[in-house]
Structure formats: structure tokens, C-alpha cells
Amino acid sequence: MLSWKENRTPVSEEFDDIYFSPENGLSETEHVFVEGNGLRERWKNPEGKRFFSVLELGFGTGLNFFATWKEYAERNRDFELHYVSIEKFPIKKEEIEKAIAAFPQLGPFLAEFVVFYGDLLPGINRFTFSEGKVRFSLFYADAGDALDEISGTFDAIYLDGFAPSKNPDMWDESLMRKLAPLSRNGTTFATFTVARIVRDSLTSAGFTLEKKPGYGRKREMLTGFFSASDEPSASAERQPSPKKKPWCGRNFHRTKTHNAAIVGAGIAGTALAYSLAQRGISVVLLDPNGLAAGASGIPGAISHPHPTKFPSPTSLFTLRAFGYAVRFLSGFASSEQFSPIGLFHGTTEEMDSERLRSSIRTHSLPEGIAFWSETGVPGADPALVSLSKKGIFYPKGFWTQPRSIARKASGQNGIRFLQKKAVTVSPRGNGWELSLSESEETILADSVIFCNSYSLNDLLLPILGEEFLPIRKVRGQLILLEETPTSSAIRNILCAEHYLTPSIEGKHILGSTFDEFDLNPNPRKEDTDRLLSYVREKYPEMNWSAQNVLSEIVGFRAQTPDRFPVIGPVFDPERFRDAYSGIDLPKNRFKTYPSLKTIPGLYVFGGLGSRGIIGSFLGAEILASLILDEPAPVEFSLLEALHPGRFLYRKIRKFSETEKRSSETD
């Protein structure tokens, strides 16, 4: 809860403390955090840095972020600004506007910010501003929990919690120690307080401290830097049973990426090409079938989050990805390519009322993301009785034209598309060489990313000597139905066992079937009949028949056994087994083992299944952050769940459990 002093200074009722100085909050921020971290001087000579990263504890009104953004923008930096802020009690958009309105010089930044701010989910919420130059992540969580989940390191740290006397937990030694893994040699910090608890906590965490003149009535403030060896110690390389899987550590940046080759030009490959090109990376995009020629080439796709009854990696990823996709596409796509018209998911035998309602409650979803409706589709035509059933409404559920978006994404500066097939990928110097079919041309790249759907293993097999990932091909069929006078009344996307779109250019899309076994590439009458039977039973007022079918379309998805994407680096499976076999056996509980050494410059991005649209845009940001060693836009636990190593680890664990049972019976 917020209250306001007469001079419009905001006050936290939770901690009975002001958010910023009543004298001049902006001047205070510039003195304590911008100058305290030496940003102006450091940004004069960025030493070829591709990005500068800031970690903030205590977002508050956003004043520190806006002031840093303003400082960055005024100096027309060639590098990007990455800003991660932690806030346990985020305030409303209207309260931020009211607080920052006191500083007119921040108006342009506030105006861009409020367009996208809102509908926050617990965890990391990623935003992009200034045409991709400013990447902002708001971590909605307790600071201690958030610091455990942040993946990446930072150049500067803002410690701006409420005063230690009001909020001592924010300054506790155990919390400050969590800053050490997020810092590198020379990482600076600044804070407004010189309280003894703060000095002791930061010293114990490895920071060297210096008192400096404070702002206004504060006599002193605290600054300093982190001292650490650039080379990992032996103890860091070999750890006993860490909580975080050792192969998920970000220890694969042995070469700098200036250019990349992406194999596969579906929505995932083109989204990644866009993300890398935005960061100044030169990209060659390869696909013998053209842009978005596979499953990404369907005439329209629908998207919504998939919250499970209780939080799981799948539900958390789709929620993060959905929020980011809506924000990204709202600024990127035209109204012909993307429309957040709302999506209603009715109850089904599998997804009953209790399960759907629990998913909203357990994920703490704001109404802007999802809400329960007892009366069916909100605002639906009363004549359409079939739309009056219970379910979840996603106000920003959307449809897209994937092929059109893929074309726009791949048409950015720095991206070269070749409609050619990569035949081989071979080591060449510190990078990789790709030979192309029917061409004497070869492509040299620092990094190669495999985004080629269910063919993902093809080029990796000769390199690794075995199949890397359990990716399988899944068939789907949808049909296009002509618009009728009755069906024109449908305003939202309708979901249950299948989905139905409103009329898009005079056509409704009804989809989709799912078949792992019959991979016939041609339309099947039984599938069309099944879809028509569904729509007639579910929405009888529409009175559709076979005569209303305009076309039938078949596509193939790439799916993993756990129906979760794979995003991350490639490793040698044999070395993986050598390093980690038996690590979960009781007899090995004190065994130490190395962090996994990945194959430099090789990455995979696939297995998106039926959630390719919402997964592609955030997935591209995740992989770009891993390739370029940026702070990740999702939690470490999600990176671990997405990691390609999970399948081989499960095989190893299964073998270990069998060995354990065998030893117990001997």
C-alpha cells in the first residue's frame, strides 16, 4: 500500500519509509547510484563492451531505472543496457506514473514504459525498450529467492531497499552473500546507507567498501567493488552434489560470437535471427524449403498460456513466454499479423472446473492474464447459447500469421537468408564451417544453432556419433471453414478439445488433430470428419457441414517426450555419461564431479510442439542471452528444465536406480 506526503513523495505503508528523498529524488538517484557506480565515467570508455548490466534490489517507483535509462539514452551508447530489478511488492502503473510525474525530464521514458507495464506474474517479467537497446527484467519475488534464481553476472549493483532499521532482512549477511555469484571482478555497488549491518554484510560477501559524501541531509553513503579471480578455482570446477545441476552452469563462453548460422527458418529460427541481429550479430539463416515452410507456415495460429493445476516448469514457461510474446508482438507486428482478441477455454473432461480454477489461484494470475467465467464467453451474443459454458478467459489470448511474422523478422538488417540445405557442419579454427547443397559456397560461423524442428539431430549425428535428443515428429491437421452469418458473431478464440478462431479474412480456422503414429503428409477425410463432428456438437448454432470446408492443411510438429522445449548448448554425450554416471547413488554422496564442458559454439532450439508461437519469442531471448553471456530473461530453474542435458541425465538416473536396487538385493 502506498500513501503520499504533501510534497507528493510516495511512502510505503508496509515499511513506513519513503521511496526517495523529499528534497529531489532524481538528484538523489543520480548522486547515489549513477555517480556512486561511476557510470558516467565508465560509459565514456566502455572497452568494447556489447552490453552493460545493472542489478537492483528494490525497484520501488522505478526512479532508479528511469534515471539510468535517461543517462544511457543521453549519451547515445553503442552498447545495450540490461537492467534486472527485484521487487517483492510491485506498485501499480498509476502509482508509478504519479511518482515519476514529479520529474518531467523522465517523461519520454515513463511514456514508453507504461504502454507495456502491468499484468505482472510472480517471477521474472521481461520487457524491451528503445528498439531493443534497453532490456529490462522485473523479478517479482522476495530478494533472497530471486537472487538464487538469477542467471548471469552484472557490472553494477544498486542496493536500494528500505532503510535497514525498517527492513533489516534486505540487508542480512546471508542475502548479501548471494550477490557474490552474480558479480565478477570489478563489479561495483552503491547504496545510500552506511549502517553497520550493511557494511559487515557486504564485507563478508567479498566487497571492498568506501564511504563517500551522501546526498542532501545524509552525511555519508557507501560504494565499493567486488574482488574475484577471473579464473575459476579448482573448488568451483569440482563441487560435491550441488543444488543446481552442474551441467547447467554457464561455462561455455570460450569463444566470442560475432556471427552465427541458424539452421531452420521456421518461427523459432527467424525469431532467434531477429534477437541476435538486434544485438549486432551477423546472421545467416538457412532453410531449403523457404521461410516458415513447415508447421510455422499454417494460415493462422492461436496462443494462450497453459497453467497447470499447480505451478510446474511447463506452466511457468508458457506464462512467461505468453506475457513476453504479447508485449513483443504488440510493438513488432501489424494488426494483420497479430491480434490479441481474447481466448475462452471451456471446461472439458480432462480440464474440469476445479482444475482450471485452481490453475488461476495457484499461479496468482492477475485478471489481465486470466479470470474465471461462470457464464461463458464474456460479452458473447446471447443467441449463441453454446458460448455460455464455464471456463477461463484469457483477455490477451491472440492469433498470429506465423509466416508473415517470420518474413518480417528475417528481413531485418544483419540477417542473410539462403534457401539452401546445410549438408555438413565441421569444426574450422575457433568456429564452424557449413557446406551447402548444390553450392560451392560454405558458411563460416562462430556459433551454429540448430532450429530445424524434427530434423534437429541430422547434422549433429556425425559430430556426436549418436542421436543427441529424443525429438519425434507429430502430425496435425486443421481445416478452414467459410464464414456464415451466424459464425460472424464469434468475437474471440474458442478452445476446448480443439480450437476455433473468429473469422479472419472470411475464414475460420478449426484445429487441430494430434497423431504420433500415422505421418501421412496428405489430408485425411477421417480427421476432417472428426473436426466437423466436434464443431457441430460444441457449437450447433453454426450449422457447419462438409460443404463449408474451404481447405484442409497438414503440418508436423517437433516434440520431446516431456513436451517441453530444448534450449541450450550442445555437449558430448559420452563425456556427459563419464562425468555423471552414478552420481545419485548413496555410495557416491561425497563424490565431486566437474561442470560439464560443452562443445563451443553449438546450440539447439527446438521441441516446441504445439506451443511454437508463444515459445519462440522468449525462447529466442533465452538462447541469445546464453550465447552472448547476458543475464537470462527467465529463472535458473527454468533454464535447467529447458536444458538439453535433461534427457541423458534421466537415462543415467534410471540406470543408477536399477543398479541401486540390484545392490540392495545382493
Side-chain angles (χ1 to χ4, degrees):
M1 294 290 291
L2 226 61
S3 60
W4 303 83
K5 289 182 176 291
E6 290 182 3
N7 63 357
R8 295 199 301 174
T9 301
V11 179
S12 167
E13 295 184 5
E14 178 83 20
F15 295 100
D16 187 29
D17 199 3
I18 57 176
Y19 277 91
F20 49 71
S21 169
E23 298 172 44
N24 189 316
L26 179 56
S27 295
E28 178 190 35
T29 284
E30 291 173 339
H31 177 81
V32 175
F33 297 109
V34 175
E35 294 180 17
N37 279 284
L39 299 191
R40 289 169 179 159
E41 193 62 32
R42 293 165 76 183
W43 287 355
K44 285 180 183 177
N45 182 24
E47 299 177 350
K49 287 180 68 68
R50 205 188 51 75
F51 67 91
F52 189 94
S53 54
V54 176
L55 172 64
E56 176 185 49
L57 273 64
F59 180 68
T61 63
L63 179 58
N64 296 340
F65 171 58
F66 294 122
T68 306
W69 185 0
K70 171 179 172 290
E71 188 71 31
Y72 168 84
E74 288 177 346
R75 278 146 185 81
N76 192 27
R77 302 300 174 195
D78 292 331
F79 56 88
E80 297 172 13
L81 175 64
H82 290 251
Y83 196 106
V84 178
S85 186
I86 300 170
E87 178 58 63
K88 187 176 182 179
F89 303 103
I91 64 176
K92 297 176 182 177
K93 178 191 299 188
E94 296 75 20
E95 294 170 325
I96 291 176
E97 289 182 289
K98 182 176 179 179
I100 303 303
F103 313 107
Q105 54 271 61
L106 299 179
F109 310 104
L110 176 65
E112 185 175 351
F113 178 83
V114 297
V115 170
F116 298 102
Y117 182 81
D119 297 329
L120 299 178
L121 295 166
I124 294 180
N125 300 263
R126 167 57 76 98
F127 302 82
T128 303
F129 303 113
S130 292
E131 298 180 335
K133 298 290 286 183
V134 176
R135 300 182 189 277
F136 170 64
S137 296
L138 181 60
F139 204 138
Y140 177 5
D142 174 80
D145 295 336
L147 291 174
D148 286 336
E149 284 278 17
I150 290 174
S151 176
T153 56
F154 295 86
D155 297 294
I157 299 173
Y158 296 0
L159 300 176
D160 197 24
F162 291 111
S165 59
K166 306 282 188 178
N167 186 19
D169 291 346
M170 179 68 87
W171 308 93
D172 185 76
E173 180 179 326
S174 62
L175 190 144
M176 292 294 110
R177 283 181 175 272
K178 294 180 179 184
L179 295 174
L182 305 177
S183 304
R184 46 181 174 259
N185 198 33
T187 293
T188 61
F189 82 90
T191 185
F192 60 88
T193 179
V194 292
R196 181 61 180 267
I197 183 178
V198 177
R199 288 184 281 126
D200 289 348
S201 296
L202 286 167
T203 300
S204 72
F207 289 89
T208 299
L209 315 183
E210 180 182 357
K211 289 182 180 179
K212 289 186 177 180
Y215 176 80
R217 286 173 286 181
K218 287 186 178 290
R219 189 164 60 89
E220 295 177 311
M221 57 178 270
L222 206 60
T223 67
F225 60 91
F226 185 76
S227 300
S229 169
D230 288 332
E231 296 299 324
S233 65
S235 60
E237 283 286 292
R238 302 185 68 85
Q239 305 174 13
S241 303
K243 287 193 297 183
K244 295 178 178 179
K245 302 293 190 297
W247 53 89
C248 295
R250 297 174 63 170
N251 61 344
F252 43 84
H253 306 288
R254 282 168 273 172
T255 58
K256 294 287 186 182
T257 295
H258 301 286
N259 52 74
I262 298 175
V263 180
I267 196 69
T270 54
L272 178 61
Y274 177 85
S275 285
L276 290 174
Q278 265 201 321
R279 291 160 164 84
I281 306 301
S282 176
V283 178
V284 175
L285 186 59
L286 300 165
D287 197 311
N289 301 311
L291 289 166
S296 298
I298 61 176
I302 64 102
S303 295
H304 64 93
H306 296 263
T308 47
K309 187 173 182 179
F310 298 102
S312 66
T314 298
S315 64
L316 294 175
F317 177 71
T318 64
L319 283 163
R320 304 275 183 277
F322 176 76
Y324 182 76
V326 170
R327 291 188 288 270
F328 171 75
L329 290 171
S330 295
F332 175 80
S334 69
S335 58
E336 290 77 28
Q337 297 169 325
F338 160 76
S339 184
I341 55 177
L343 181 149
F344 181 76
H345 197 300
T347 57
T348 66
E349 185 175 336
E350 182 181 352
M351 307 285 283
D352 59 22
S353 294
E354 195 276 331
R355 179 173 176 178
L356 289 175
R357 298 186 77 167
S358 293
S359 70
I360 297 175
R361 184 180 64 255
T362 59
H363 289 83
S364 302
L365 300 183
E367 285 202 351
I369 296 293
F371 61 84
W372 178 255
S373 174
E374 286 282 339
T375 56
V377 180
D381 186 338
L384 301 178
V385 179
S386 61
L387 303 187
S388 301
K389 298 175 182 177
K390 300 176 183 179
I392 291 181
F393 189 68
Y394 299 97
K396 295 179 181 175
F398 62 85
W399 63 260
T400 51
Q401 299 281 12
R403 179 169 290 171
S404 179
I405 289 172
R407 286 173 177 161
K408 184 171 182 178
S410 61
Q412 305 299 305
N413 290 335
I415 301 173
R416 178 188 175 207
F417 172 66
L418 296 177
Q419 191 168 341
K420 294 183 182 295
K421 181 179 180 179
V423 179
T424 61
V425 177
S426 310
R428 176 74 179 271
N430 291 325
W432 298 88
E433 181 179 58
L434 293 84
S435 65
L436 308 180
S437 62
E438 301 177 0
S439 174
E440 295 182 1
E441 180 183 9
T442 59
I443 303 297
L444 298 178
D446 300 322
S447 292
V448 180
I449 306 97
F450 301 95
C451 301
N452 49 333
S453 190
Y454 45 81
S455 301
L456 191 147
N457 285 303
D458 293 354
L459 291 168
L460 284 170
L461 183 60
I463 299 171
L464 304 178
E466 62 182 89
E467 187 173 273
F468 181 53
L469 290 168
I471 299 279
R472 61 178 179 264
K473 193 174 182 179
V474 177
R475 182 187 185 277
Q477 181 172 320
L478 57 83
I479 60 176
L480 299 184
L481 295 167
E482 67 177 340
E483 180 184 353
T484 68
T486 305
S487 71
S488 64
I490 298 174
R491 294 286 178 263
N492 308 111
I493 302 160
L494 307 176
C495 274
E497 292 85 357
H498 298 286
Y499 67 84
L500 175 69
T501 70
S503 175
I504 303 171
E505 298 180 350
K507 305 178 186 70
H508 297 268
I509 302 171
L510 175 61
S512 169
T513 62
F514 182 96
D515 198 325
E516 301 178 66
F517 305 105
D518 185 344
L519 300 181
N520 184 351
N522 301 310
R524 298 187 311 197
K525 182 179 183 300
E526 56 265 39
D527 285 355
T528 297
D529 291 344
R530 188 190 319 165
L531 290 169
L532 283 172
S533 176
Y534 164 81
V535 80
R536 283 196 292 262
E537 180 181 344
K538 203 79 174 177
Y539 313 110
E541 301 96 327
M542 307 304 162
N543 200 30
W544 272 310
S545 68
Q547 283 69 42
N548 300 112
V549 176
L550 298 173
S551 60
E552 304 157 297
I553 298 167
V554 175
F556 294 94
R557 311 176 184 102
Q559 186 167 283
T560 62
D562 58 11
R563 300 193 180 187
F564 203 53
V566 284
I567 303 175
V570 174
F571 51 84
D572 184 326
E574 185 175 347
R575 295 179 67 181
F576 188 101
R577 285 189 291 269
D578 289 344
Y580 303 124
S581 290
I583 63 174
D584 287 325
L585 291 176
K587 66 181 181 182
N588 292 328
R589 64 185 182 276
F590 297 117
K591 178 182 177 182
T592 60
Y593 45 92
S595 296
L596 179 69
K597 297 297 184 184
T598 62
I599 298 177
L602 293 186
Y603 302 87
V604 292
F605 181 16
L608 294 161
S610 60
R611 298 163 189 167
I613 298 298
I614 60 169
S616 289
F617 303 110
L618 183 60
E621 285 292 292
I622 291 170
L623 194 49
S625 75
L626 296 178
I627 293 170
L628 302 173
D629 205 18
E630 302 169 355
V634 295
E635 298 86 334
F636 187 94
S637 55
L638 275 182
L639 292 180
E640 191 174 276
L642 292 162
H643 198 280
R646 68 186 189 267
F647 299 108
L648 192 49
Y649 177 57
R650 288 167 191 166
K651 285 184 180 179
I652 289 172
R653 288 196 65 179
K654 186 176 181 180
F655 177 80
S656 297
E657 289 166 2
T658 302
E659 186 179 348
K660 177 185 174 183
R661 286 193 295 269
S662 176
S663 64
E664 288 172 349
T665 57
D666 288 344

